[in-house]
Amino acid sequence: MRIKANDEQQFLEQVFVKRGFSTVNSQLLAETLVDADLRGISSHGIQRLAWYLRMVDDGTIQPQNSVKTLKESPTSLFLDANQNMGQIACFQAMTSLIQKAQKSSIAMAVIKNSNHFGTAGYWARMAVKKGLIGIATTNTRPLVVPTNATEAFLGSNAFAFTFPADPHPFVFDGATSVVSSGKIQVLAKNKQPIPGQWAVDADRQVVKNADEAEDLLATAAFTPHQKGGGVLTLGGNQEQNSNYKGFGNSLVVELLTGILAQGSISADTSVGKHDFSQFLMVIDPGFFGDLKQLQHDASAMFQRIRHLKHLPHTEIKIPGDREYRRYAENQQNGVVVDEQTAKELHQIGDQLNISVPHAVSNS
């Protein structure tokens, strides 16, 4: 079904407030989920709500805790999310980094003791809205099997990068694995098979059944070394297809997050203290030349790529094209909510005495 984005925002705000988050933080959390749904990134949208609330229930997320500043310089920031949601610390960090980069051309932040932070692209887009380059990364629970391994060790370790351009900014936002676990969750909820080589079992054999893959990921994330298997790195199952490059990309994120934060690497977030880490950076491209000219040059390059010769009945998309198109469409038609998530929303609404958004008619 589809629901109006405004209705989703209001519902989520009410839920988060009733679960102990401040009004301001509830608005932010709701906005990040709605934004993901509007962009067609349903894996990080409202379908995450039940998972978030379970982590509040078990104490993984502490809604009442405030973010702490551990260290700060004119170009750097080190924050302790204090076991609250990653979105809350990231908003504080990016707001500060934008101001720092506008003065010093570059600024970066590391966040420790954090949780899930929504889509990486949300934070990188905060910078590009100000004509700046934004970078955002995070580690996660252990879900990804390194090259030739048969058990999960790495996180899906999202990476986002933005650059000013027209008709919309360049926005690359993706996992350093073949997919994020959220996409497999969505398929499992809807009883749909996995379309590509996304996950493998303990024998490193490709898994097509989304329920089986979801079970493997749950085991990898919460009881590692018990069963084996997980999501593949970029490059797929075979070393001949250069999956060691995806492995390397994921390790870079581990170094910038868990290691720099002196927190847990992805492999250890499920066996001891649960603490994700994030790394954010903002760069002022105007330091290197006229911003309008740089934006024009980037836009011209993207247009040349879009108009390259290509296969019939296909189009060449620049990162961000699909999401901005979906954003406009879903603002008008409503965001898509799968059947299982709709059931979860009704259960949450009943428990908290909050009205669930009504479905809008199909367009």
Side-chain angles (χ1 to χ4, degrees):
M1 70 175 189
R2 288 181 179 270
I3 61 175
K4 293 180 179 179
N6 288 342
D7 292 344
E8 179 184 357
Q9 176 78 26
Q10 293 175 10
F11 172 76
L12 288 169
E13 286 181 20
Q14 293 178 72
V15 170
F16 287 127
V17 166
K18 286 206 171 185
R19 296 312 302 271
F21 293 93
S22 70
T23 299
V24 171
N25 288 342
S26 295
Q27 291 171 346
L28 173 65
L29 293 172
E31 184 178 315
T32 63
L33 297 184
V34 174
D35 183 84
D37 281 329
L38 282 169
R39 294 177 191 279
I41 313 173
S42 57
S43 60
H44 287 63
I46 199 170
Q47 79 96 19
R48 290 271 181 175
L49 179 61
W51 180 56
Y52 281 0
L53 298 185
R54 286 195 295 271
M55 287 194 288
V56 172
D57 289 338
D58 66 23
T60 301
I61 297 171
Q62 299 285 335
Q64 74 283 354
N65 289 359
S66 299
V67 178
K68 299 178 181 178
T69 300
L70 302 176
K71 199 172 184 180
E72 186 171 10
S73 80
T75 58
S76 305
L77 187 62
F78 190 17
L79 297 181
D80 183 344
N82 202 13
Q83 291 186 264
N84 210 326
M85 287 301 300
Q87 288 98 323
I88 297 166
C90 282
F91 182 81
Q92 181 173 323
M94 285 303 293
T95 300
S96 176
L97 294 187
I98 288 168
Q99 295 172 350
K100 290 177 182 292
Q102 287 171 333
K103 295 177 181 178
S104 303
S105 302
I106 189 169
M108 65 190 77
V110 170
I111 299 169
K112 66 184 300 182
N113 290 331
S114 189
N115 279 289
H116 193 262
F117 77 159
T119 62
Y122 186 93
W123 311 111
R125 277 187 275 106
M126 277 185 67
V128 85
K129 289 176 182 177
K130 301 294 186 180
L132 304 168
I133 296 169
I135 297 173
T137 67
T138 186
N139 66 357
T140 73
R141 289 192 185 275
L143 301 165
V144 179
V145 290
T147 299
N148 297 329
T150 58
E151 61 179 296
F153 187 90
L154 304 165
S156 53
N157 292 4
F159 169 81
F161 177 95
T162 56
F163 196 97
D166 296 312
H168 58 73
F170 172 89
V171 181
F172 174 81
D173 180 9
T176 52
S177 55
V178 173
V179 294
S180 68
S181 62
K183 290 190 176 181
I184 294 177
Q185 291 172 357
V186 171
L187 292 177
K189 279 184 174 183
N190 292 280
K191 306 300 179 184
Q192 295 175 348
I194 296 174
Q197 294 188 0
W198 293 3
V200 291
D201 61 18
D203 297 317
R204 208 172 169 98
Q205 297 300 303
V206 174
V207 175
K208 288 291 187 180
N209 183 289
D211 280 325
E212 180 184 351
E214 175 70 357
D215 180 58
L216 287 169
L217 297 185
T219 301
F222 298 102
T223 53
H225 316 305
Q226 296 297 311
K227 197 168 184 178
V231 175
L232 291 165
T233 60
L234 287 173
N237 197 18
Q238 302 299 321
E239 189 172 0
Q240 293 91 327
N241 291 325
S242 300
N243 60 14
Y244 51 85
K245 295 180 181 178
F247 176 28
N249 289 340
S250 190
L251 284 174
V252 169
V253 175
E254 292 284 353
L255 292 167
L256 290 173
T257 56
I259 297 297
L260 273 187
Q262 302 148 70
S264 297
I265 59 174
S266 292
D268 296 336
T269 58
S270 57
V271 294
K273 181 181 179 182
H274 171 91
D275 60 316
F276 294 168
S277 304
Q278 281 96 34
F279 173 86
L280 308 171
M281 179 180 282
V282 177
I283 302 168
D284 182 5
F287 174 83
F288 304 97
D290 179 70
L291 177 59
K292 289 185 178 179
Q293 186 62 49
L294 295 172
Q295 185 166 332
H296 173 272
D297 292 346
S299 303
M301 177 179 69
F302 297 147
Q303 281 298 92
R304 289 176 64 185
I305 295 171
R306 291 185 183 102
H307 291 92
L308 290 173
K309 293 178 181 177
H310 55 278
L311 296 173
H313 312 298
T314 66
E315 62 177 316
I316 301 173
K317 300 183 185 73
I318 298 298
D321 284 354
R322 180 184 287 113
E323 288 77 13
Y324 277 93
R325 184 181 303 169
R326 287 174 174 171
Y327 191 95
E329 293 171 351
N330 291 334
Q331 278 278 26
Q332 180 176 346
N333 301 325
V335 301
V336 176
V337 177
D338 66 80
E339 183 177 348
Q340 183 58 37
T341 298
K343 292 179 181 178
E344 292 174 353
L345 299 185
H346 280 284
Q347 292 171 354
I348 293 168
D350 289 342
Q351 292 170 359
L352 300 178
N353 195 28
I354 299 172
S355 297
V356 177
H358 296 294
V360 297
S361 59
N362 293 329
S363 301

